[in-house]
Amino acid sequence: MEIKLQGLTKIFQAKDKTETVAVKDFDITIPSGKLIGLLGPSGCGKSTTLYMIAGLLKPNNGKIFFGDEDVTEMAPEDRGIGLVFQNYALYPHMTVKQNIMFPLENLKVPKAEAIIRAQEMADLVGIGELMERKPKQLSGGQQQRVAIARALVKKPRVLLLDEPLSNLDARLRLQTREEIKRIQIETGITTIFVTHDQEEAMSISDEIVLMESGLKMQVGEPQEVYDVPDNLFVAKFLGTPPINIYKGKIIKGEIELNGSIIGKTKAPDQEVVIGIRPEGFKISKTADFELEVNMVETIGRDTTLIINDIQDTERSSRVIVDSSNKVKPGDKIKFTIKPNKLFLFNKETGEKIT
Ligand code: ATP
C-alpha cells in the first residue's frame, strides 16, 4: 500500500493562542512494501506526522492517501493501521495471548480463528512459547514483540512504529531492530519507523526521510543521503563521528581552507562552509595540509585521530584513518582531502553548492 502525504501541515495552538507549527507543507510518497525511517532531532515533527497518518491527529492542511484512497478525514479504526509505541502499552492483567487477540475481539473475529491468528503472529515475532505469560514476566524486548504482534494481527495495511526501540538496552535494541526488519520483509507491509537515532534509521530503512523544524530536509536511500547531502543540516545530522565543518573560500575555482588549496570546483568565488567527512582525509607525503594530532583512538580496523581544530580552539576535528597507520599524539600529519568526501555549502542558506 503506497502512502502519499500532500502539503501536510499541523499547527498546535496553546491556550494563550501562541502557535507551534509542528509539521509544514510536508510532501512525501512512501512506496508500497518499503520500510521508511522518519528521522530527525527531538521536536522536529516526526511523531506528529505519524499520528496524522494514523488519524490520531487532524491536519490543519493537506491530504493523506493510502493507495488511491483519500483517508484524511477517515477515523483511525477504519484506516487499517497497526501502531506500536515506545512504551508498548500492553494490558498488564492480560496474558500475551489475550493481549495479541484483543484487537480481533474488537473486530468480532470468531474466537477459534483469533487464537490461530494470534499464535501465527506470536510465532512470526518469535514469542510463540510465551503465550500464557503476563507482560511483567517478559523482558523489554519480548514485550515490544508482543506489541508488534498485536499491531500486526489485524493484518493492517500500514505499520507505524514510534521510537519502538528506545526503551531497550543497546544489545536488545540491535537485535530487535534486526527482527523488525525481518518481520517487515516477511510480511511485505508498508512500514514507517520513527526514530531520532541516525544509526538505527540508516541500518534498517529502505529509505530515510529527514525532518527538521517540521520541514522535509531530504529523502533517499540511507547511503545516498549520506554520500550526497542536500544541505548542511543533513550533512551534520548523519555520520559518526560527525562531519568536520570549517569556514572556507572559493577563489578562481579553487577551494581554500586556512590558506591551503584542498580541491577544485566550478562554483563562483564566494565564502563557503566546507564539510569534510572523517574518512575524507588521506595521509599523504606530498600534501601541504598539515594537522597536529591530539589524541588517538583505535577500534578494530579504524583509528580515529582527534585533532585540535584548525579554526576553532573550542572544538576538535575527527579524522578516520586505517589503523595500519601508526600515528601518535603530537605527530604532525600531512593530508589530502578525498573529493567525494568534501562538501561545500552556501554560507547563508546551508544549501549544497555543486
Ligand atoms: P521527539 O523525538 O522528541 O518525540 P518529534 O520529532 O516526534 O520529537 P513532535 O512530538 O512531533 O516531535 O513535536 C513537534 C513540535 O510540536 C514540537 O515543537 C512540540 O513541542 C510540538 N507539539 C507536539 N504536540 C503538541 C501539542 N499537543 N500541543 C502543542 N505543541 C505540540
Side-chain angles (χ1 to χ4, degrees), residues 91 93-115 117-118 150 153-154:
Y91 301 107
H93 60 286
M94 291 185 188
T95 62
V96 168
K97 185 159 122 196
Q98 288 165 334
N99 263 288
I100 300 175
M101 281 168 61
F102 188 76
L104 299 179
E105 274 171 37
N106 282 348
L107 295 173
K108 309 262 181 298
V109 175
K111 192 157 181 204
E113 187 191 330
I115 290 174
R117 276 169 64 177
R150 187 177 59 181
V153 78
K154 292 175 287 184

Side-chain angles (χ1 to χ4, degrees), residues 1-3 30-37 66 79-84 121 124-125 148-161 179-193 204-206:
M1 171 75 52
E2 179 190 90
I3 303 173
I30 296 169
S32 182
K34 296 287 183 202
L35 193 160
I36 300 302
F66 286 2
R79 292 192 185 196
I81 47 142
L83 189 54
V84 177
M121 284 307 128
L124 176 73
V125 302
I148 294 168
R150 187 177 59 181
L152 288 172
V153 78
K154 292 175 287 184
K155 303 205 170 90
R157 303 193 280 181
V158 177
L159 181 62
L160 305 175
L161 305 165
E179 278 290 280
I180 289 177
K181 183 70 190 166
R182 175 187 65 77
I183 293 162
Q184 193 272 330
I185 290 170
E186 264 179 50
T187 56
I189 185 169
T190 311
T191 301
I192 304 177
F193 183 104
I204 70 166
S205 308
D206 296 310

Side-chain angles (χ1 to χ4, degrees), residues 52-313:
M52 286 193 282
I53 298 170
L56 302 175
L57 285 175
K58 198 171 147 40
N60 296 71
N61 235 318
K63 289 199 176 302
I64 302 166
F65 293 91
F66 286 2
D68 292 330
E69 189 179 5
D70 182 347
V71 301
T72 317
E73 299 293 328
M74 193 184 276
E77 59 274 19
D78 299 329
R79 292 192 185 196
I81 47 142
L83 189 54
V84 177
F85 297 98
Q86 171 179 345
N87 59 1
Y88 330 132
L90 300 177
Y91 301 107
H93 60 286
M94 291 185 188
T95 62
V96 168
K97 185 159 122 196
Q98 288 165 334
N99 263 288
I100 300 175
M101 281 168 61
F102 188 76
L104 299 179
E105 274 171 37
N106 282 348
L107 295 173
K108 309 262 181 298
V109 175
K111 192 157 181 204
E113 187 191 330
I115 290 174
I116 292 170
R117 276 169 64 177
Q119 187 66 50
E120 276 173 10
M121 284 307 128
D123 290 339
L124 176 73
V125 302
I127 48 154
E129 268 88 81
L130 307 173
M131 294 294 260
E132 298 310 323
R133 290 207 199 166
K134 296 271 176 67
K136 68 169 188 291
Q137 298 168 309
L138 302 176
S139 71
Q142 290 165 336
Q143 289 185 37
Q144 193 54 295
R145 286 166 198 236
V146 178
I148 294 168
R150 187 177 59 181
L152 288 172
V153 78
K154 292 175 287 184
K155 303 205 170 90
R157 303 193 280 181
V158 177
L159 181 62
L160 305 175
L161 305 165
D162 191 9
E163 302 261 5
L165 308 179
S166 39
N167 279 353
L168 307 178
D169 69 37
R171 196 145 60 101
L172 210 54
R173 203 151 68 208
L174 209 71
Q175 193 189 344
T176 314
R177 88 177 183 210
E178 286 163 10
E179 278 290 280
I180 289 177
K181 183 70 190 166
R182 175 187 65 77
I183 293 162
Q184 193 272 330
I185 290 170
E186 264 179 50
T187 56
I189 185 169
T190 311
T191 301
I192 304 177
F193 183 104
V194 163
T195 178
H196 63 273
D197 182 332
Q198 49 136 341
E199 197 212 323
E200 200 164 280
M202 300 273 285
S203 64
I204 70 166
S205 308
D206 296 310
E207 280 185 25
I208 55 173
V209 177
L210 252 143
M211 284 185 85
E212 158 73 341
S213 305
L215 297 170
K216 177 178 77 180
M217 288 284 125
Q218 193 168 350
V219 181
E221 289 176 18
Q223 193 62 42
E224 171 191 317
V225 178
Y226 180 83
D227 286 341
V228 192
D230 277 350
N231 53 57
L232 187 57
F233 168 81
V234 174
K236 280 164 123 175
F237 195 78
L238 296 182
T240 22
I243 195 165
N244 299 293
I245 300 292
Y246 309 103
K247 289 180 204 146
K249 282 187 208 139
I250 300 175
I251 301 170
K252 293 195 183 121
E254 291 185 318
I255 305 165
E256 191 194 292
L257 171 60
N258 277 28
S260 299
I261 306 302
I262 59 164
K264 291 195 185 307
T265 173
K266 293 204 171 85
D269 287 10
Q270 60 194 295
E271 291 187 2
V272 290
V273 175
I274 295 176
I276 307 173
R277 293 273 182 219
E279 67 277 21
F281 294 78
K282 193 165 158 220
I283 296 180
S284 152
K285 287 204 171 65
T286 55
D288 53 6
F289 190 68
E290 192 178 67
L291 298 171
E292 183 175 336
V293 174
N294 196 10
M295 257 165 70
V296 178
E297 290 171 358
T298 297
I299 301 172
R301 278 188 316 154
D302 286 339
T303 291
T304 302
L305 310 179
I306 298 155
I307 290 170
N308 284 336
D309 195 279
I310 44 183
Q311 291 178 335
D312 179 350
T313 48

Side-chain angles (χ1 to χ4, degrees), residues 12 20 22 41-48 163:
F12 291 107
T20 306
S42 181
C44 72
K46 308 178 292 290
S47 301
T48 304
E163 302 261 5

